[in-house]
């Protein structure tokens, strides 16, 4: 069964993996502006099985299987080619699995608000915080939308709402919840250790007010990646690329520059 993917551009492959219940649009909107003035990159945006336009697969029972399915796709799309891997939230967890199992071909890693500890109760997270809020905007939203936005947004303004709606809220409604709940219950965490020494440019970006995965647990990853930049962004929650776009763009541009000087 095929996994939906979208390929933009030509050149060095850079693979994009979204978070739990979302689809490729969250990565596409975050990353595509960074390639407007860059050439030589083949961006591969993937909808994980059971999310977006990718159907559930009967062979997938847990995150081990999810990882295997993505590796199988990559072996078809870019067989034996060196590539870069990027992941947001749960996609960051899968990305680290790929970096661990494809050490001979992964040449760089980007983790955006990465999930590092599967069980929520085991995570170290700050309390939910709202730093900036447009009360007029919130009053115009439906109660359901206001609740969804309010539960995630650290910065709650018009621009943030529009992006949250289009990149987070609407895609999440396409999710096959029964399939994802089955994975959550059957094995959300990998059954093996995915720590590895990746000696290539790495960027880990976290939100200071991220009450979903936090920033504290991700700091432990720094020793796995000797070439890593680690950033904690203030006024940023789990959707940090939406709430602190300028800083996010600057950090990713720096990472891409490092990659281009070495691997491409």
């Amino acid at each position: 069964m095929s996994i939906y993917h979208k390929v933009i551009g030509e050149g060095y492959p850079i693979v994009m993996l979204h978070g739990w219940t979302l689809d490729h649009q969250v990565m596409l909107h975050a990353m595509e502006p960074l390639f407007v003035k860059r050439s030589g990159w083949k961006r591969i945006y993937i909808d994980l099985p059971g999310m977006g336009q990718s159907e559930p697969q009967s062979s997938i029972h847990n995150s081990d299987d999810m990882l295997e399915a993505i590796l199988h796709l990559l072996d078809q799309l870019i067989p034996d080619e060196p590539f870069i891997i990027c992941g947001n939230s749960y996609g960051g967890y899968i990305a680290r699995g790929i970096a661990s199992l494809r050490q001979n071909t992964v040449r760089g890693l980007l983790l955006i608000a990465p999930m590092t500890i599967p069980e929520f109760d085991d995570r170290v997270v700050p309390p939910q915080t709202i730093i900036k809020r447009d009360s007029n905007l919130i009053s115009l939203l439906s109660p359901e939308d206001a609740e969804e936005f309010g539960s995630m947004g650290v910065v709650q303004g018009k621009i943030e709402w529009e992006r949250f709606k289009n990149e987070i809220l609407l895609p999440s409604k396409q999710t096959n919840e029964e399939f994802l709940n089955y994975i959550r219950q059957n094995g959300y965490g990998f059954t093996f250790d995915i720590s590895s020494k990746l000696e290539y440019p790495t960027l880990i970006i976290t939100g200071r007010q991220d009450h979903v995965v936090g920033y504290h647990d991700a700091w432990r990853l720094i020793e796995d990646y000797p070439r890593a930049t680690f950033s904690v962004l203030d006024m940023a929650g789990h959707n940090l690329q939406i709430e602190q776009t300028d800083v996010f763009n600057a950090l990713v541009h720096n990472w891409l520059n490092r990659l281009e000087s070495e691997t491409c």
Side-chain angles (χ1 to χ4, degrees):
M1 202 174 291
S2 63
I3 295 175
Y4 177 82
H5 57 279
K6 181 177 200 151
V7 180
I8 303 176
E10 296 181 358
Y12 206 98
I14 181 165
V15 177
M16 316 285 190
L17 301 175
H18 61 79
W20 193 249
T21 77
L22 305 183
D23 69 6
H24 72 278
Q25 293 178 80
V26 69
M27 291 298 285
L28 185 138
H29 287 286
M31 298 297 290
E32 275 308 295
L34 300 160
F35 294 98
V36 171
K37 296 181 180 179
R38 289 181 190 270
S39 58
W41 289 95
K42 179 199 284 186
R43 288 90 71 193
I44 303 170
Y45 295 92
I46 295 171
D47 279 358
L48 297 174
M51 295 170 252
Q53 297 179 56
S54 292
E55 294 292 323
Q57 296 188 9
S58 59
S59 61
I60 297 178
H61 304 281
N62 51 42
S63 288
D64 285 13
D65 297 335
M66 183 75 76
L67 173 60
E68 195 59 41
I70 299 304
L71 287 172
H72 182 66
L73 174 66
L74 296 182
D75 289 343
Q76 291 177 318
L77 294 176
I78 45 174
D80 300 318
E81 285 185 59
F83 64 96
I84 310 299
I85 185 81
C86 311
N88 168 226
S89 193
Y90 178 76
Y93 191 61
I94 298 293
R96 287 177 55 223
I98 292 171
S100 177
L101 296 180
R102 291 288 187 272
Q103 294 185 40
N104 292 334
T105 47
V106 171
R107 296 289 183 271
L109 177 67
L110 167 60
L111 301 174
I112 306 166
M115 182 190 93
T116 59
I117 296 179
E119 291 302 320
F120 184 82
D121 290 344
D122 294 337
R123 300 174 188 173
V124 177
V125 297
Q128 183 182 356
T129 307
I130 298 170
I131 293 179
K132 197 172 178 183
R133 187 173 188 267
D134 183 339
S135 298
N136 288 336
L137 168 74
I138 303 301
S139 70
L140 297 173
L141 303 180
S142 70
E144 294 80 15
D145 286 352
E147 183 179 357
E148 291 280 0
F149 190 38
S151 70
M152 292 292 288
V154 172
V155 179
Q156 298 177 12
K158 188 173 189 300
I159 294 173
E160 291 78 18
W161 160 246
E162 291 296 332
R163 288 193 63 184
F164 176 82
K165 178 180 69 175
N166 293 323
E167 300 170 33
I168 309 294
L169 190 57
L170 294 178
S172 70
K173 296 182 186 301
Q174 307 301 315
T175 292
N176 187 306
E177 292 186 12
E178 184 181 356
F179 176 67
L180 294 197
N181 287 338
Y182 173 68
I183 293 173
R184 286 293 291 254
Q185 293 163 9
N186 213 42
Y188 194 46
F190 294 130
T191 60
F192 59 98
D193 183 11
I194 56 170
S195 60
S196 60
K197 283 286 185 284
L198 183 69
E199 301 278 352
Y200 292 97
T202 298
L203 174 59
I204 304 167
I205 312 178
T206 63
R208 181 65 180 83
Q209 288 81 29
D210 185 343
H211 66 287
V212 178
V213 300
Y215 60 89
H216 181 274
D217 298 321
W219 173 250
R220 301 174 187 177
L221 302 180
I222 200 81
E223 299 306 330
D224 278 359
Y225 309 115
R227 297 289 314 282
T229 292
F230 187 99
S231 293
V232 186
L233 307 187
D234 182 36
M235 293 183 72
H238 197 52
N239 299 316
L240 60 87
Q241 75 283 359
I242 292 175
E243 296 174 324
Q244 291 299 325
T245 304
D246 290 347
V247 187
F248 173 83
N249 288 351
L251 288 165
V252 179
H253 272 307
N254 172 270
W255 173 70
L256 288 168
N257 289 341
R258 286 189 281 144
L259 288 170
E260 287 177 354
S261 70
E262 292 186 28
T263 59
C264 304

mmCIF file of all heavy atoms in Angstrom, residues 9 16 20 30 78 81 106 119 147:
data_model
loop_
_atom_site.group_PDB
_atom_site.id
_atom_site.type_symbol
_atom_site.label_atom_id
_atom_site.label_comp_id
_atom_site.label_asym_id
_atom_site.label_seq_id
_atom_site.Cartn_x
_atom_site.Cartn_y
_atom_site.Cartn_z
ATOM 1 N N GLY A 9 11.457 20.100 -6.200
ATOM 2 C CA GLY A 9 12.845 20.416 -6.505
ATOM 3 C C GLY A 9 13.660 19.189 -6.874
ATOM 4 O O GLY A 9 13.197 18.050 -6.802
ATOM 5 N N MET A 16 11.153 15.078 4.920
ATOM 6 C CA MET A 16 10.393 15.821 5.930
ATOM 7 C C MET A 16 9.299 14.947 6.546
ATOM 8 O O MET A 16 8.446 14.414 5.824
ATOM 9 C CB MET A 16 9.733 17.049 5.293
ATOM 10 C CG MET A 16 10.621 17.827 4.348
ATOM 11 S SD MET A 16 11.851 18.824 5.201
ATOM 12 C CE MET A 16 12.488 19.795 3.818
ATOM 13 N N TRP A 20 2.422 13.728 15.028
ATOM 14 C CA TRP A 20 1.289 12.819 15.272
ATOM 15 C C TRP A 20 -0.035 13.502 14.938
ATOM 16 O O TRP A 20 -0.280 14.631 15.376
ATOM 17 C CB TRP A 20 1.323 12.406 16.729
ATOM 18 C CG TRP A 20 0.454 11.252 17.122
ATOM 19 C CD1 TRP A 20 -0.659 11.299 17.905
ATOM 20 C CD2 TRP A 20 0.653 9.868 16.800
ATOM 21 N NE1 TRP A 20 -1.168 10.036 18.085
ATOM 22 C CE2 TRP A 20 -0.373 9.132 17.416
ATOM 23 C CE3 TRP A 20 1.614 9.172 16.042
ATOM 24 C CZ2 TRP A 20 -0.496 7.752 17.304
ATOM 25 C CZ3 TRP A 20 1.503 7.799 15.924
ATOM 26 C CH2 TRP A 20 0.458 7.101 16.556
ATOM 27 N N ALA A 30 6.504 25.209 6.912
ATOM 28 C CA ALA A 30 7.659 25.626 7.709
ATOM 29 C C ALA A 30 8.924 25.706 6.864
ATOM 30 O O ALA A 30 9.729 26.632 7.012
ATOM 31 C CB ALA A 30 7.874 24.657 8.874
ATOM 32 N N ILE A 78 14.900 6.831 -2.807
ATOM 33 C CA ILE A 78 16.306 7.266 -2.875
ATOM 34 C C ILE A 78 17.223 6.099 -2.471
ATOM 35 O O ILE A 78 17.949 6.204 -1.476
ATOM 36 C CB ILE A 78 16.560 8.509 -1.986
ATOM 37 C CG1 ILE A 78 15.900 8.360 -0.604
ATOM 38 C CG2 ILE A 78 16.056 9.774 -2.666
ATOM 39 C CD1 ILE A 78 16.227 9.480 0.378
ATOM 40 N N GLU A 81 21.137 6.334 -1.580
ATOM 41 C CA GLU A 81 21.605 7.722 -1.701
ATOM 42 C C GLU A 81 21.789 8.330 -0.315
ATOM 43 O O GLU A 81 20.986 8.090 0.589
ATOM 44 C CB GLU A 81 20.577 8.581 -2.452
ATOM 45 C CG GLU A 81 20.509 8.388 -3.933
ATOM 46 C CD GLU A 81 19.544 9.387 -4.575
ATOM 47 O OE1 GLU A 81 19.769 10.616 -4.429
ATOM 48 O OE2 GLU A 81 18.560 8.952 -5.200
ATOM 49 N N VAL A 106 22.628 8.779 6.242
ATOM 50 C CA VAL A 106 22.103 10.036 6.786
ATOM 51 C C VAL A 106 23.249 11.022 6.991
ATOM 52 O O VAL A 106 24.238 10.713 7.651
ATOM 53 C CB VAL A 106 21.342 9.796 8.111
ATOM 54 C CG1 VAL A 106 20.990 11.126 8.775
ATOM 55 C CG2 VAL A 106 20.068 8.999 7.856
ATOM 56 N N GLU A 119 5.913 8.159 26.631
ATOM 57 C CA GLU A 119 4.882 8.264 27.663
ATOM 58 C C GLU A 119 4.824 9.685 28.221
ATOM 59 O O GLU A 119 5.797 10.182 28.773
ATOM 60 C CB GLU A 119 5.148 7.266 28.794
ATOM 61 C CG GLU A 119 4.958 5.820 28.380
ATOM 62 C CD GLU A 119 3.565 5.547 27.853
ATOM 63 O OE1 GLU A 119 2.588 6.096 28.423
ATOM 64 O OE2 GLU A 119 3.441 4.808 26.854
ATOM 65 N N GLU A 147 -11.147 26.565 21.863
ATOM 66 C CA GLU A 147 -10.592 25.601 22.810
ATOM 67 C C GLU A 147 -9.342 24.932 22.247
ATOM 68 O O GLU A 147 -8.329 24.793 22.943
ATOM 69 C CB GLU A 147 -11.640 24.540 23.159
ATOM 70 C CG GLU A 147 -11.149 23.539 24.203
ATOM 71 C CD GLU A 147 -12.194 22.505 24.565
ATOM 72 O OE1 GLU A 147 -13.321 22.583 24.052
ATOM 73 O OE2 GLU A 147 -11.863 21.602 25.374
#
